[in-house]
Amino acid sequence: ETGVTQSPTHLIKTRGQQVTLRCSSQSGHNTVSWYQQALGQGPQFIFQYYREEENGRGNFPPRFSGLQFPNYSSELNVNALELDDSALYLCASSLGGPGPGSTDTQYFGPGTRLTVL
Amino acid sequence: QQQVKQSPQSLIVQKGGISIINCAYENTAFDYFPWYQQFPGKGPALLIAIRPDVSEKKEGRFTISFNKSAKQFSLHIMDSQPGDSATYFCAAKGNRDDKIIFGKGTRLHILP
């Protein structure tokens, strides 16, 4: 086990609703990244937080937002859900700070399976 | 545009055989190439990784071969076992940020 937990395990929402997914990183891990994994695809980078500040973002619209808290927990919020948002959402924590040349291992949680109807 | 291309999409290997998964990339700014293993219902787990200044890295039964000039790298699993049956992702990370770009994955099935 990686020590990274996510909740809930599964979630069903309808189009247009809002959702909050939660992640608890390993203690001491200052960096958390969120990924979206569609069925049969590799994970796609949504954004990364380092010490409670957003540190990088992938090609996702602003309705995807996040928060990171001092207690090593974090949230992914998605507004105005669309059918294509149905996916496995993964968070990954790493020990050090981000930056060029960083090869800190990212430890993934088991994910939250979101279904949008 | 897919920055990391992975093949094959699925692979069946007899127990004891060698499993080979290939990846190619375009972006020369990538400087870290990890491989992840994912079992159903689990998140990806780092298996082995390599930097482009070496051509090969071996950890147990797992070996990465890296060809910088061809911008290709591959994972070899020696003496494949049924417990190796999983989805494998190659990935790449650039030298300017921490974003990891994943391939589409290879579903590996080892026949007992």
Side-chain angles (χ1 to χ4, degrees):
Chain A
E1 298 300 324
T2 64
V4 179
T5 59
Q6 292 186 243
S7 63
T9 305
H10 297 89
L11 198 54
I12 299 175
K13 290 286 189 178
T14 57
R15 192 171 51 183
Q17 286 188 309
Q18 178 267 343
V19 68
T20 297
L21 310 181
R22 294 179 172 83
C23 171
S24 180
S25 301
Q26 283 194 28
S27 180
H29 282 196
N30 293 309
T31 301
V32 64
S33 304
W34 285 90
Y35 294 83
Q36 180 195 66
Q37 186 176 18
L39 199 61
Q41 301 293 317
Q44 287 196 57
F45 177 78
I46 301 175
F47 46 55
Q48 183 182 78
Y49 279 79
Y50 173 63
R51 291 186 173 175
E52 302 161 50
E53 298 284 335
E54 185 177 297
N55 184 61
R57 190 176 185 92
N59 294 325
F60 283 82
R63 60 189 185 86
F64 285 78
S65 63
L67 287 171
Q68 185 186 26
F69 303 102
N71 64 350
Y72 306 112
S73 66
S74 58
E75 291 180 354
L76 165 66
N77 298 288
V78 188
N79 293 322
L81 284 167
E82 301 178 358
L83 298 180
D84 285 348
D85 295 334
S86 295
L88 180 69
Y89 288 86
L90 298 159
C91 74
S93 73
S94 53
L95 180 61
S102 170
T103 58
D104 281 342
T105 300
Q106 292 193 9
Y107 296 90
F108 283 83
T112 293
R113 172 73 62 188
L114 173 65
T115 301
V116 182
L117 302 176
Chain B
Q1 180 185 6
Q2 188 182 352
Q3 297 193 53
V4 178
K5 295 183 179 181
Q6 182 173 349
S7 63
Q9 190 173 9
S10 62
L11 182 61
I12 299 175
V13 175
Q14 291 280 352
K15 179 183 175 182
I18 303 174
S19 303
I20 302 174
I21 303 171
N22 299 300
C23 283
Y25 66 97
E26 290 294 327
N27 190 344
T28 56
F30 290 149
D31 68 350
Y32 177 66
F33 300 88
W35 284 87
Y36 286 85
Q37 179 189 56
Q38 186 175 28
F39 292 104
K42 302 285 188 180
L46 180 66
L47 192 62
I48 185 173
I50 197 169
R51 299 200 69 141
D53 51 350
V54 297
S55 60
E56 185 176 282
K57 183 174 182 180
K58 183 176 181 179
E59 291 184 0
R61 296 185 294 110
F62 301 92
T63 300
I64 300 177
S65 297
F66 190 88
N67 185 329
K68 187 174 181 179
S69 60
K71 291 187 283 187
Q72 295 175 346
F73 58 111
S74 60
L75 175 70
H76 291 63
I77 305 174
M78 313 299 287
D79 187 26
S80 298
Q81 299 296 313
D84 296 331
S85 297
T87 300
Y88 291 81
F89 295 96
C90 62
K93 179 176 145 340
N95 58 11
R96 296 183 180 181
D97 56 40
D98 282 347
K99 179 169 61 177
I100 296 180
I101 308 297
F102 285 82
K104 289 191 172 183
T106 296
R107 293 187 68 175
L108 174 64
H109 182 64
I110 307 301
L111 298 174

